Amino acid sequence: MSTDPLIVSYNDSTIYQSDINILKQSNQWLNDSIISFYLEWLKDGNDNNNNNNNNNNNNKIPNDVLLLSPSVVFCCSFVESEQEIQLMFEQPLSLKSRELIFFPFNDNRDPNIIGGGSHWSLLIFVKSLNKFIYYDSINRFNSNDATFIISKFKFLLSSSQQSTINNLKELLINQKTPQQENGYDCGLYVLSIIEELIKLIKENEEKNLENKISYKDLLLSKSTNDFLFKEISPIYIKDKRIEILDIILKLKK
């Protein structure tokens, strides 16, 4: 009998008992498996306004938006060239056709340590901007790792932009981010920012059925940033950990 039994398999994610143990403790750092699970949950149109385990095709995220799993981002960190990344992931993920790509990442640079690192952050590639928006719940803790990730995905930029890059930091927009009050809730902040932004995207799409939504304007607007600060509080984050655990346990049944 396995010492770490499988609890739930959901789309491309798996949750084991050790992941459940992490969620049950309020002071534990989220690992790749938990983050991947919740991203799969959000992809299916579930959020804290539509919290059920029935797929709702009408509520799924738009086709031009991609939530990358942290394992894919981690894998790409150790691929030698951008060309290799394109060969590996362009066909299954249609990277270059996406308008928005979310990159959850951490500061693990050791390919021999799976699930390593000490801090999660978020990059969002915005095609209409030809830039990456960077969210970090501990000021700019992972800014060097953010530019490292960007170096692997420069092929997403327009050809004219690629030819004029002098410094990768020119491609980084540091976005003001709700700040954590401890050393372990970073993953929950990343998931919460993704979830709230996805909700805003879907709400704006519903209001503007005939006109294509401007992701650039939405993500950079003061109202969006104010909304994130209003919604994502320490209490919200504490509840999010409980909510994710509750979803998994319900799926187990």
Side-chain angles (χ1 to χ4, degrees), residues 122-124 126 129-136 140 146 150 168-177 216 219-220:
L122 175 66
L123 279 174
I124 306 175
V126 186
L129 271 175
N130 260 319
K131 289 190 176 181
F132 295 77
I133 301 176
Y134 170 49
Y135 295 85
D136 196 319
R140 299 177 184 177
I150 290 173
L168 289 176
K169 290 186 177 180
E170 297 172 6
L171 304 174
L172 195 66
I173 298 173
N174 292 294
Q175 187 64 290
K176 191 176 178 183
T177 307
K216 173 179 67 174
L219 292 181
L220 293 181

Side-chain angles (χ1 to χ4, degrees), residues 92-142:
L93 298 178
S94 302
L95 294 172
K96 298 193 79 171
S97 69
R98 310 289 186 159
E99 295 294 325
L100 285 184
I101 303 178
F102 288 73
F103 296 80
F105 70 98
N106 66 36
D107 55 345
N108 182 14
R109 295 280 191 92
D110 188 340
N112 297 311
I113 302 177
I114 305 300
S118 63
H119 181 57
W120 289 102
S121 301
L122 175 66
L123 279 174
I124 306 175
F125 174 69
V126 186
K127 192 173 185 177
S128 57
L129 271 175
N130 260 319
K131 289 190 176 181
F132 295 77
I133 301 176
Y134 170 49
Y135 295 85
D136 196 319
S137 59
I138 301 183
N139 200 4
R140 299 177 184 177
F141 189 94
N142 278 346

Side-chain angles (χ1 to χ4, degrees), residues 31-37 39 67-77 102-106 120 191:
N31 61 16
D32 300 50
S33 298
I34 298 169
I35 290 177
S36 294
F37 164 79
L39 292 180
L67 308 183
L68 281 180
S69 74
S71 59
V72 169
V73 179
F74 180 70
C75 173
C76 290
S77 300
F102 288 73
F103 296 80
F105 70 98
N106 66 36
W120 289 102
L191 290 177

